[in-house]
Each structure stands twice: as structure tokens, then as C-alpha cells.
Amino acid sequence: MLDKDIQKTENVSATERIRNVKTFLPRVDIYENKDSLFLLADMPGVDEKTVDIELEKNILTITGRVENGHVGDATMLYSEYEIGDYERVFTLSDEIDRDKIVATVKNGVLRLELPKAEKVKPKKIAIKAA
């Protein structure tokens, strides 16, 4: 069911970039239960003010901005961590209820709940005695 509901889209160059910073593809985990798909994206340094989620037609675009990575008035001596923006694009199927999508971000992890449309949820059929 996952392949029909959400697909990775490789073409991320559709948006115009005006910031001169590296852009990374955030690592994503996708889970499913009977009611929803859950997408977890690792975006260190991003919070609710610097993440944007857009849904146009079937294209879900996630972008995140990381400002500067500076720690107070300290000077960086050595770093193994690169600072940059994040962008990831997915194609959603018609089986996702677009009006009920919920997004939260905490500690640099974006969580999207993508509820399934009523027509695709499993249903139990009652059996009546004859």
C-alpha cells in the first residue's frame, strides 16, 4: 500500500533558490497503520518558524532553513557537521486525505501525519444470521 500512497520525487530543482547555502535531502522514515501514514524527517537546526510544507496538486514539498549554526559569540575551531537547508519532495496518491494532514516539529524532527481517505481504510463487514 505504501508505494501507492506516497512516492519519492527526485526532481527538487523546481523551486528557485535564492540563498547561497548547501541544500541537503533530509533522511526520512515512513510508517503506516490502518488509519494513516507517518513521515518522520530528520532536519537538525530546523524549528516551526523555519520549516515550510506545501501541497500543490499531488506534490508535497518540505523545505527547512537553518540560519547560521553559530553558538553565541564563540568562534568555530573545528566542525564535522555541515550547515545547510533541507528540501524533500514526495508525490501523494489520492488515497491520502489532504484536508487532515497534521505537521509538528520537535528537536529537529519533522513529523507529518497523512491520514488515509475514508474510502481506503479497512472495514469490517458484519455478518447477519439468516
Side-chain angles (χ1 to χ4, degrees):
M1 179 132 162
L2 179 61
D3 293 334
K4 296 185 297 184
D5 295 334
I6 188 169
Q7 297 175 353
K8 234 179 10 174
T9 302
E10 297 299 327
N11 183 11
V12 293
S13 63
T15 60
E16 182 178 341
R17 299 196 200 290
I18 56 174
R19 289 169 41 103
N20 188 22
V21 297
K22 286 186 176 185
T23 301
F24 299 100
L25 284 172
R27 300 281 186 187
V28 173
D29 293 328
I30 300 173
Y31 299 92
E32 177 181 23
N33 68 20
K34 66 181 179 75
D35 296 322
S36 300
L37 293 175
F38 299 91
L39 185 145
L40 302 173
D42 288 330
M43 301 169 66
V46 171
D47 62 21
E48 68 278 358
K49 297 176 189 131
T50 59
V51 66
D52 290 310
I53 303 165
E54 293 185 14
L55 180 58
E56 185 174 342
K57 297 184 182 175
N58 288 343
I59 306 298
L60 178 74
T61 304
I62 300 168
T63 54
R65 296 176 314 284
V66 176
E67 293 309 319
N68 58 20
H70 295 289
V71 178
D73 61 351
T75 302
M76 178 71 71
L77 296 178
Y78 175 76
S79 175
E80 293 182 349
Y81 174 76
E82 291 187 78
I83 300 297
D85 291 347
Y86 300 95
E87 184 170 348
R88 193 76 185 256
V89 179
F90 297 91
T91 302
L92 299 182
S93 76
D94 292 333
E95 295 180 359
I96 299 297
D97 188 342
R98 285 146 175 71
D99 295 327
K100 295 182 181 174
I101 296 174
V102 177
T104 56
V105 65
K106 182 178 179 182
N107 298 328
V109 178
L110 174 67
R111 181 181 186 271
L112 284 173
E113 181 177 352
L114 306 161
K116 296 177 185 177
E118 288 297 323
K119 66 181 180 180
V120 297
K121 288 183 183 176
K123 294 180 182 159
K124 180 116 175 137
I125 299 172
I127 300 172
K128 296 179 184 178

